[in-house]
Amino acid sequence: MPNVKIQHYTDTFEELKSGLKWKVSDKKILMAIASTYVMNNKKLNPEKLLQLADEIKSRAGLFSSMKSYSRFTTAAVLDVHFENPLEQIPTLFQLYDEFKKAKFKSGVFTYIAASILLTNNDNKTKSGKLIENTKEIYEGMKSEHMFLTGASDYRIRFQKAHSFKGGMNGILFVIDEHAFLLL
């Protein structure tokens, strides 16, 4: 079984390398995309990936991080999680805007948090509460560990807000006790 996964990864990486050579020069991005497909047991369709990435880019603002390489990894995440990933792109940008309204900084980490919310949230009506909880957890951590907490922590804080069933004071205590493990 491991040899099959390794071969799938190698084949996917090589297909990405030849198909995106003029669009993505960073091999680490290609490796991340290949890993996304392999971990989700999905076959890469390079044309579909490019179509998704181009649609994301066309909807992004002029100075958006979705104009760069991150649109390819986001496209891969949408492709492996949804039957009709093109239909999810407006929702991705809507969730990003909700994070922005909650005073999250612009950038790739906020898009990652929006992607996590989109792919892991069964009940889309609770997205506002999850974003609010994420902000509360982030602000609590930032007040306790100002130099260790930054925008790159958004995705981790969202995952904690999404999975924790207790109150915010309880989660802040748990996070504070294990802060270095989470970072």
Side-chain angles (χ1 to χ4, degrees):
M1 186 70 155
N3 288 339
V4 172
K5 288 209 180 255
I6 292 169
Q7 189 60 50
H8 182 201
Y9 173 81
T10 304
D11 294 343
T12 303
F13 177 78
E14 289 301 324
E15 195 172 359
L16 285 165
K17 197 165 97 173
S18 67
L20 299 178
K21 62 183 166 191
W22 298 110
K23 296 190 181 276
V24 180
S25 60
D26 188 346
K27 290 182 182 176
K28 288 181 259 177
I29 300 294
L30 300 177
M31 291 166 67
I33 294 169
S35 296
T36 300
Y37 282 94
V38 172
M39 289 187 312
N40 289 282
N41 295 315
K42 299 284 185 167
K43 176 99 173 86
L44 170 69
N45 178 337
E47 294 79 25
K48 185 178 180 183
L49 180 67
L50 283 172
Q51 178 188 16
L52 286 167
D54 288 345
E55 183 64 23
I56 290 169
K57 182 179 178 181
S58 74
R59 290 179 182 254
L62 185 60
F63 298 108
S64 172
S65 58
M66 286 293 117
K67 296 274 189 189
S68 69
Y69 294 152
S70 57
R71 76 181 183 273
F72 293 100
T73 54
T74 302
V77 168
L78 294 178
D79 190 27
V80 300
H81 282 91
F82 298 103
E83 285 296 317
N84 298 310
L86 272 173
E87 294 174 4
Q88 300 301 318
I89 293 172
T91 306
L92 173 70
F93 282 96
Q94 174 195 350
L95 291 171
Y96 175 81
D97 289 340
E98 287 181 37
F99 274 99
K100 293 284 294 149
K101 286 178 188 164
K103 306 288 187 225
F104 284 83
K105 293 180 182 178
S106 297
V108 70
F109 297 113
T110 304
Y111 278 109
I112 291 170
S115 297
I116 293 169
L117 178 55
L118 179 63
T119 59
N120 291 305
N121 192 12
D122 297 332
N123 184 356
K124 301 293 188 266
T125 60
K126 293 187 338 183
S127 63
K129 183 65 175 161
L130 286 170
I131 291 169
E132 181 183 309
N133 289 351
T134 303
K135 186 64 172 177
E136 190 174 337
I137 292 168
Y138 175 78
E139 291 300 330
M141 282 302 298
K142 190 172 181 182
S143 70
E144 294 294 322
H145 306 283
M146 184 171 40
F147 297 110
L148 298 175
T149 305
S152 64
D153 296 318
Y154 290 165
R155 68 196 189 286
I156 296 168
R157 304 307 175 228
F158 171 77
Q159 288 172 322
K160 289 297 168 196
H162 188 266
S163 64
F164 192 73
K165 304 298 181 215
M168 284 300 108
N169 289 337
I171 194 169
L172 290 175
F173 173 76
V174 170
I175 290 173
D176 192 44
E177 291 296 308
H178 299 82
F180 293 105
L181 294 175
L182 293 172
L183 298 174

